[in-house]
């Protein structure tokens, strides 16, 4: 091992350590005192409920753990968006579980809460997975109601999705384990089956205080909308549970009797571990995002037996395209090659050096063809992003880089096989789009702690913005000294660097998670297993492209 490997390893292990520290912090929800108060009512916390429900020792992945991080500070924050979302197994069946965290503002819905719930439903719809709601929420967070209530992708969309999923035959089960009030009362009742916990669960469109104010009726909340009322009088709920554990056990028994699902038919064989040590990833991935490395060395540590079949190996080498297996599943990998590449010259095309992480005409053309092949063969696609963008300059423009880039974006957009995106390093500009960024409907998109997402790097953006700022100040007659220029540059770069952080992206759900690189195989495997629940219903068609 060389000195650079050791430096890289130390750096990346520190990033993973920081990731685990931050995950531990958000897992506390509203904090120790609120957890203690919550449990004094005889209730499990949201995470305890999810863990109890999911099969012990089975793998699971958490969606949006960092949602809301460093947002809503003036409102006391909203750790994990006030809701826990996991994909795991209940009685051996893969399910999505959504649990309100009542230790965070009584489970109230912030704007990011709505976005996260919609993401969970999107995953259920795309993959036709059963979804389980563990409800314990005070409803919309009123100080921010204008950002959560009225728009298309706001609170009401959740109930619309309940209805759509029901028509699609996607199982929805809801357990009311705490407050369930106003508009939020529709969610459990629009599910296929609803449970309510005696004495702690309640459902009503308006609580006792509002009823008194609106119509003058005096009534307590338990009589108004408790478990006995809704199981024996109104018939709104289907099962009455004596406590949280009883409700969760009932859900397990319901899930256990669901019939098998139609499969998409993705190819899978027995899983084999990589021959190359996955731990080496920490030493291969450079500390500096500007440094180059060989992406093949990363791929060898992600795929079964460290084996792959490369497509068009000698052409368009700044993008790697290859077939492989991950945990037994057949995949097509599209990855940015991050090392300097020397092209093979000819009489009409001289030898040249191509920069790693940049998409050239030939690499975009190759990727387009490969994506089409994977769609024809029904092979899920895995994108490994470490991209600085498309090549610029007169040579590229005259060669039609926009046209070739558009073809690649077209292929990614119209792909009908499931896509999975791993942001390893840089994810800049149109490169993010072409390599299946969030806007291009990857089934799962997740980042390593080394990731950066932005229009361009902090350094490049700061230089561009500095030129604009300088020109503006000079027009106003201000003289810009070297010291003033450095001060402006550092101020701009600091602000921009914060925005390119993977945590900034994860807080806004531009990615589903930040993960330890060693968990990548699990995420992709569970993602393909989920996608296998949903047969492909339309043919692949590129539409109109300029050849």
């Amino acid at each position: 091992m060389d000195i650079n490997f050791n430096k890289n390893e130390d750096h990346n292990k520190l990033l993973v350590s920081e990731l685990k520290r931050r995950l531990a912090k958000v897992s506390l929800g509203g904090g120790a005192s609120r957890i203690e108060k919550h449990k004094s009512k005889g209730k499990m916390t949201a995470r305890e409920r999810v863990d109890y429900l999911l099969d012990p020792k089975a793998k699971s992945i958490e969606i949006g753990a960092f949602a809301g991080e460093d947002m809503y500070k003036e409102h006391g924050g909203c750790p994990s968006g006030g809701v826990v979302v996991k994909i795991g197994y209940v009685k051996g069946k893969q399910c999505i579980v959504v649990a309100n965290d009542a230790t965070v503002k009584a489970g109230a819905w912030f704007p990011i809460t709505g976005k996260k719930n919609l993401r969970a439903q999107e995953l259920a719809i795309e993959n036709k997975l059963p979804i389980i709601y563990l409800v314990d929420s005070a409803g919309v967070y009123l100080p921010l109601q204008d950002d959560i209530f009225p728009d298309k992708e706001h609170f009401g969309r959740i109930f619309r999705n309940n209805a759509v999923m029901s028509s699609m035959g996607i199982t929805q089960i809801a357990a009311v384990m705490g407050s369930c009030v106003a508009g939020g009362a529709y969610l459990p009742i629009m599910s296929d089956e609803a449970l309510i916990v005696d004495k702690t669960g309640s459902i009503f469109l308006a609580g006792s205080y509002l009823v008194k104010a609106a119509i003058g009726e005096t009534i307590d909340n338990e009589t108004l909308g408790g478990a006995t009322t809704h199981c024996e009088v109104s018939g709104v709920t289907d099962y009455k549970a004596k406590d949280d554990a009883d409700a969760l056990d009932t859900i397990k028994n319901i899930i256990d009797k669901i019939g098998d699902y139609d499969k998409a038919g993705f190819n899978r064989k027995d899983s084999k571990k990589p021959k190359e040590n996955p731990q080496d990833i920490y030493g291969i991935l450079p500390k500096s995002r500007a440094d180059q490395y060989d992406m093949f060395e990363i791929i060898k540590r992600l795929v079964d037996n460290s084996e792959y079949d490369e497509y068009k190996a000698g052409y368009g080498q700044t993008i790697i395209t290859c077939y492989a297996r991950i945990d037994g599943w057949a995949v097509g990998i599209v990855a940015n090659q991050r090392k300097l590449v020397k092209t093979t010259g000819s009489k009409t095309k001289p030898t040249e050096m191509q920069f790693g992480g940049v998409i050239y005409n030939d690499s975009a053309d190759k990727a387009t063809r490969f994506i089409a092949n994977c769609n024809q063969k029904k092979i899920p696609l895995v994108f490994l992003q470490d991209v600085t963008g498309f090549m610029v300059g007169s040579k590229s423009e005259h060669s039609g880089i926009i046209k070739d880039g558009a073809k690649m974006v077209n292929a990614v957009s119209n792909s009908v096989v499931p896509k999975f995106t791993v942001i390893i390093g840089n994810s800049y500009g149109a490169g993010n789009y072409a390599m299946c960024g969030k806007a291009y409907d990857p089934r799962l998109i997740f980042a390593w702690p080394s990731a950066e997402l932005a229009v361009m790097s902090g350094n490049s953006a700061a230089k561009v913005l500095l030129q604009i700022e300088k020109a503006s100040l000079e027009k106003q007659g201000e003289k810009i000294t070297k010291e003033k220029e450095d001060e402006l540059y550092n101020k701009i770069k600091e602000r921009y660097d914060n925005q390119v952080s993977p945590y900034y992206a994860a807080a806004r759900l531009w990615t589903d998670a930040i993960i330890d690189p060693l968990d990548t195989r699990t995420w992709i495997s569970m993602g393909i297993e989920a996608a296998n629940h949903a047969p492909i219903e339309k043919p692949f068609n590129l539409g109109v492209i300029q050849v």
Side-chain angles (χ1 to χ4, degrees), residues 333-351:
I333 295 174
V334 181
N336 302 113
Q337 175 57 290
R338 276 306 310 267
K339 71 175 184 178
L340 202 64
V341 174
K342 185 177 182 181
T343 64
T344 303
S346 66
K347 289 182 180 179
T348 57
K349 190 176 182 181
T351 299

Side-chain angles (χ1 to χ4, degrees), residues 210-355:
L210 185 52
V211 167
K212 176 70 174 176
I215 64 172
E217 181 183 1
T218 301
I219 189 170
D220 64 273
N221 282 338
E222 184 64 26
T223 306
L224 181 65
T228 299
T229 294
H230 285 310
C231 286
E232 300 175 18
V233 180
S234 73
V236 164
T237 50
D238 307 307
Y239 307 89
K240 180 162 72 170
K242 62 183 180 184
D243 54 26
D244 283 6
D246 187 35
L248 298 169
D249 286 335
T250 302
I251 293 173
K252 291 180 185 182
N253 292 333
I254 295 170
I255 293 289
D256 192 39
K257 296 172 181 66
I258 295 175
D260 203 1
Y261 57 90
D262 295 332
K263 296 175 177 63
F266 302 124
N267 186 298
R268 192 179 198 185
K269 292 186 176 180
D270 291 340
S271 176
K272 296 181 179 178
K273 293 181 179 180
K275 283 185 178 177
E276 301 289 345
N277 186 359
Q279 291 271 353
D280 291 345
I281 289 172
Y282 298 134
I284 294 166
L285 197 65
K287 178 178 179 179
S288 169
R289 290 284 79 243
D291 288 350
Q292 304 211 335
Y293 64 96
D294 189 351
M295 182 64 81
F296 280 114
E297 295 304 317
I298 299 290
I299 292 172
K300 288 176 187 176
R301 288 154 178 85
L302 295 178
V303 302
D304 290 14
N305 247 354
S306 299
E307 294 175 346
Y308 54 85
D309 299 306
E310 190 177 0
Y311 171 82
K312 287 187 177 291
Y315 178 68
Q317 294 179 67
T318 63
I319 282 185
I320 296 167
T321 49
C322 61
Y323 300 105
R325 290 188 182 275
I326 293 178
D327 196 26
W329 294 103
V331 296
I333 295 174
V334 181
N336 302 113
Q337 175 57 290
R338 276 306 310 267
K339 71 175 184 178
L340 202 64
V341 174
K342 185 177 182 181
T343 64
T344 303
S346 66
K347 289 182 180 179
T348 57
K349 190 176 182 181
T351 299
E352 64 175 353
M353 299 302 293
Q354 293 186 340
F355 298 102

Side-chain angles (χ1 to χ4, degrees), residues 3 22 49 126 143 288 302 304 345 358 393 400 403 405 450 494:
I3 187 66
R22 293 172 83 147
R49 288 166 176 167
E126 285 181 332
S288 169
L302 295 178
D304 290 14
V358 178
K403 180 180 68 177
S450 48
E494 181 181 358

Side-chain angles (χ1 to χ4, degrees), residues 29 86 88 100 188 208 228 252 289 328 383 410 453 496 500 504:
K86 285 192 178 183
N100 298 115
S208 56
T228 299
K252 291 180 185 182
R289 290 284 79 243
F383 292 84
N410 196 316
L453 287 80
Y496 203 88
V500 305
Y504 189 92

Side-chain angles (χ1 to χ4, degrees), residues 10-300:
D10 290 345
H11 172 74
N12 286 306
K13 284 186 174 180
L14 282 173
L15 290 181
V16 171
S17 177
E18 170 69 3
L19 168 64
K20 291 177 178 177
R21 184 192 68 79
R22 293 172 83 147
L23 282 170
K25 182 180 178 182
V26 298
S27 71
L28 293 174
S33 62
R34 289 180 182 171
I35 288 174
E36 185 178 347
K37 183 179 178 182
H38 179 86
K39 297 182 79 166
S40 70
K41 300 173 185 176
K43 298 161 72 173
M44 296 179 180
T45 65
R47 291 185 179 276
E48 287 172 340
R49 288 166 176 167
V50 174
D51 290 343
Y52 185 95
L53 183 62
L54 295 178
D55 294 346
K57 298 183 180 178
K59 291 180 178 179
S60 65
I61 56 178
E62 182 172 354
I63 305 296
F66 291 112
E69 181 165 274
D70 289 333
M71 297 167 66
Y72 314 114
K73 289 181 180 178
E74 66 276 24
H75 298 279
C78 188
S80 285
V83 62
V84 179
V85 176
K86 285 192 178 183
I87 301 176
Y89 301 88
V90 178
K91 293 291 184 176
K93 290 183 173 62
Q94 199 174 40
C95 300
I96 299 176
V97 184
V98 181
N100 298 115
D101 187 349
T103 71
V104 180
K105 288 287 191 292
W109 289 62
F110 282 66
I112 197 67
T113 316
K115 187 172 183 178
K116 186 170 174 179
N117 275 265
L118 288 170
R119 176 59 177 149
Q121 290 185 321
E122 180 183 42
L123 288 166
I125 291 169
E126 285 181 332
N127 299 295
K128 293 184 168 59
L129 285 182
I131 185 166
I132 300 162
Y133 308 101
L134 307 180
V135 184
D136 194 345
S137 171
V140 166
Y141 183 63
L142 292 177
L144 297 174
Q145 65 85 26
D146 58 327
D147 289 325
I148 180 63
F149 171 68
D151 209 346
K152 180 179 178 180
E153 299 300 330
H154 283 176
F155 192 61
R157 187 76 172 183
I158 290 159
F159 314 133
R160 175 265 185 193
N161 286 350
N162 288 141
V164 168
M165 283 190 280
S166 183
S167 72
M168 294 173 67
I170 297 170
T171 298
Q172 300 175 84
I173 299 170
V176 179
M177 311 179 86
S179 180
C180 184
V181 63
Y186 286 105
L187 186 146
I189 311 313
M190 293 189 75
S191 299
D192 301 324
E193 295 185 81
L195 305 84
I196 186 168
V197 179
D198 195 22
K199 299 299 185 286
T200 57
S202 59
I203 310 171
F204 31 67
L205 294 182
S208 56
Y209 292 128
L210 185 52
V211 167
K212 176 70 174 176
I215 64 172
E217 181 183 1
T218 301
I219 189 170
D220 64 273
N221 282 338
E222 184 64 26
T223 306
L224 181 65
T228 299
T229 294
H230 285 310
C231 286
E232 300 175 18
V233 180
S234 73
V236 164
T237 50
D238 307 307
Y239 307 89
K240 180 162 72 170
K242 62 183 180 184
D243 54 26
D244 283 6
D246 187 35
L248 298 169
D249 286 335
T250 302
I251 293 173
K252 291 180 185 182
N253 292 333
I254 295 170
I255 293 289
D256 192 39
K257 296 172 181 66
I258 295 175
D260 203 1
Y261 57 90
D262 295 332
K263 296 175 177 63
F266 302 124
N267 186 298
R268 192 179 198 185
K269 292 186 176 180
D270 291 340
S271 176
K272 296 181 179 178
K273 293 181 179 180
K275 283 185 178 177
E276 301 289 345
N277 186 359
Q279 291 271 353
D280 291 345
I281 289 172
Y282 298 134
I284 294 166
L285 197 65
K287 178 178 179 179
S288 169
R289 290 284 79 243
D291 288 350
Q292 304 211 335
Y293 64 96
D294 189 351
M295 182 64 81
F296 280 114
E297 295 304 317
I298 299 290
I299 292 172
K300 288 176 187 176

